[in-house]
């Protein structure tokens, strides 16, 4: 398979795209096939930049003949090549074009999946662009009432935010996952998402928001009295008491931490971080900066032995005020 054969195919395809005295309009179908064949040969020869351009031209010719499905497939090929020879921005642009083509073909779910696949190509090079694609995929699936398919994309986006040390945004992503699971009734995934959100905020040294997030999660029936809820409760209680040993014990004794997404599980096992000012965090969370005063229970409960959050008690309104 020689270079000239690929080049000859390109030249032949270019000629099919031009008009002549005998041909009044471009032969788009023939051109798209020739560009595709040239792209395959160029990719095999390691000429990836040229292959990317050939597949893009094939996709554009397919679009003009209303063959959006094949256009989407070729734009995805372009994204894969751009990962190797282009920039993350080019990968994202090809991903969007592939998604648009699939949607025009009436395949919205395939379009969302294309965004997710392309996001994984760049999640280590451009986290923000990857998260944008992951969340766009989730939005598209949710708009089609296909919440059951979003979990992998939300988890991937949350993991990227954790690696970027954007802990508040990581928690927000996991809360969105929890909301989607509420619609699809995916209880186990929902509980893991809520615990992950609390862990992300604690890992970032944000005890107040972690406590408020726990309060919101505790109002969800699926989360109540689960192992994830009890672990979150124990962690927050340990931080409120500024008890380092209790924080570690809450993680080591938990039966669910090890089953979280890897980045959240690792974060939990590192708590509390050396840079965490436990006394300051305790007081911000309403604690006494160390050992809690006698008779006081975490989150204002009259009896903390059942491991339930404040929203489950009879005086839920006062407990919610205490959280915030």
């Amino acid at each position: 398979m020689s270079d000239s054969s690929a080049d000859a195919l390109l030249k032949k395809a270019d000629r099919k795209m031009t008009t002549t005295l005998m041909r009044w309009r471009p032969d788009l179908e023939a051109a798209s096939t020739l560009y595709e064949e040239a792209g395959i040969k160029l990719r095999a020869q390691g000429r990836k930049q040229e292959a990317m351009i050939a597949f893009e031209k094939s996709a554009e010719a397919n679009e003009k003949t209303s063959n959006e499905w094949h256009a989407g497939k070729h734009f995805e090929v372009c994204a894969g090549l751009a990962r190797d020879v282009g920039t993350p921005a080019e990968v994202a642009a090809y991903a969007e074009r592939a998604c648009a083509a699939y949607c025009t073909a009436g395949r919205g779910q395939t379009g969302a999946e294309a965004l997710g696949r392309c996001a994984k190509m760049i999640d280590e090079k451009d986290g923000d662009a990857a998260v944008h694609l992951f969340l766009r995929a989730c939005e598209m699936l949710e708009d089609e009432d296909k919440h059951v398919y979003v979990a992998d994309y939300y988890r991937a986006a949350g993991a990227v935010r954790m690696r970027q040390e954007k802990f508040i945004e990581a928690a927000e992503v996991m809360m969105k996952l929890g909301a989607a699971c509420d619609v699809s009734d995916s209880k186990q995934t929902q509980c893991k998402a809520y615990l992950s959100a609390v862990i992300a905020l604690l890992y970032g040294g944000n005890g107040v928001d972690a406590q408020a997030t726990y309060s919101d999660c505790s109002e969800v029936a699926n989360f109540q009295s689960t192992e994830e809820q009890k672990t979150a409760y124990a962690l927050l209680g340990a931080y409120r008491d500024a008890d380092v040993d209790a924080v570690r014990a809450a993680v080591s004794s938990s039966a669910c931490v090890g089953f979280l997404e890897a980045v959240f599980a690792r974060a939990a096992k590192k708590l509390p971080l050396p840079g965490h000012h436990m006394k300051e965090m305790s007081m911000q969370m309403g604690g006494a900066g160390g050992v809690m005063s006698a008779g006081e229970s975490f989150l204002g409960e009259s009896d903390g032995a059942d491991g339930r959050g404040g929203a489950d008690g009879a005086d839920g309104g006062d407990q919610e005020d205490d959280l915030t």
Side-chain angles (χ1 to χ4, degrees), residues 45-56:
Q45 295 164 7
R47 298 163 61 183
K48 294 183 178 181
Q49 184 72 39
E50 294 168 89
M52 183 174 70
I53 296 171
F55 278 113
E56 182 177 8

Side-chain angles (χ1 to χ4, degrees), residues 56 58-68 71-72 75 97 100-101:
E56 182 177 8
S58 179
E60 290 171 345
N62 276 310
E63 283 185 315
K64 292 175 181 178
T65 58
S66 299
N67 192 354
E68 285 86 3
F75 280 133
R97 295 178 74 181

Side-chain angles (χ1 to χ4, degrees), residues 55-101:
F55 278 113
E56 182 177 8
K57 289 182 177 180
S58 179
E60 290 171 345
N62 276 310
E63 283 185 315
K64 292 175 181 178
T65 58
S66 299
N67 192 354
E68 285 86 3
W69 172 260
H70 283 92
K73 298 292 286 184
H74 290 154
F75 280 133
E76 270 203 84
V77 173
C78 290
L81 291 165
R83 171 189 55 191
D84 298 329
V85 298
T87 65
E90 288 178 297
V91 174
Y94 281 128
E96 295 282 3
R97 295 178 74 181
C99 178

Side-chain angles (χ1 to χ4, degrees), residues 13-14 20 56 61 108 112 128 134 144 194 233 269 316 324:
D14 288 339
T20 66
E56 182 177 8
D128 289 339
F134 282 131
E144 294 192 359
Y194 287 156
Y233 180 92
K269 292 173 183 178
T324 57

Side-chain angles (χ1 to χ4, degrees), residues 123 127-128 131 156-173 199-206 263-264 266-267 270 273 276:
D123 61 355
D128 289 339
V131 169
V160 171
R161 288 307 192 205
M162 288 293 287
R163 291 198 296 268
Q164 292 179 313
E165 299 185 357
K166 296 181 178 181
F167 305 117
I168 293 176
E169 293 182 35
E172 290 172 351
V173 169
I199 288 171
L201 292 166
L202 288 176
Y203 192 80
N206 191 342
V263 67
F264 293 101
R266 287 195 296 269
K270 292 179 181 179
L273 295 184
H276 285 176

Side-chain angles (χ1 to χ4, degrees), residues 33 38 62 93 101 147 153 156 176 225 257 270 310-311 319:
T33 300
N62 276 310
H147 297 74
Y153 303 134
K176 288 181 179 179
S225 300
V257 166
K270 292 179 181 179
Q319 292 161 357

Side-chain angles (χ1 to χ4, degrees), residues 1 70 97 104 125 259 287 293 312:
M1 188 179 294
H70 283 92
R97 295 178 74 181
T104 304
K125 294 181 179 179
F259 295 98
S293 58
D312 297 326

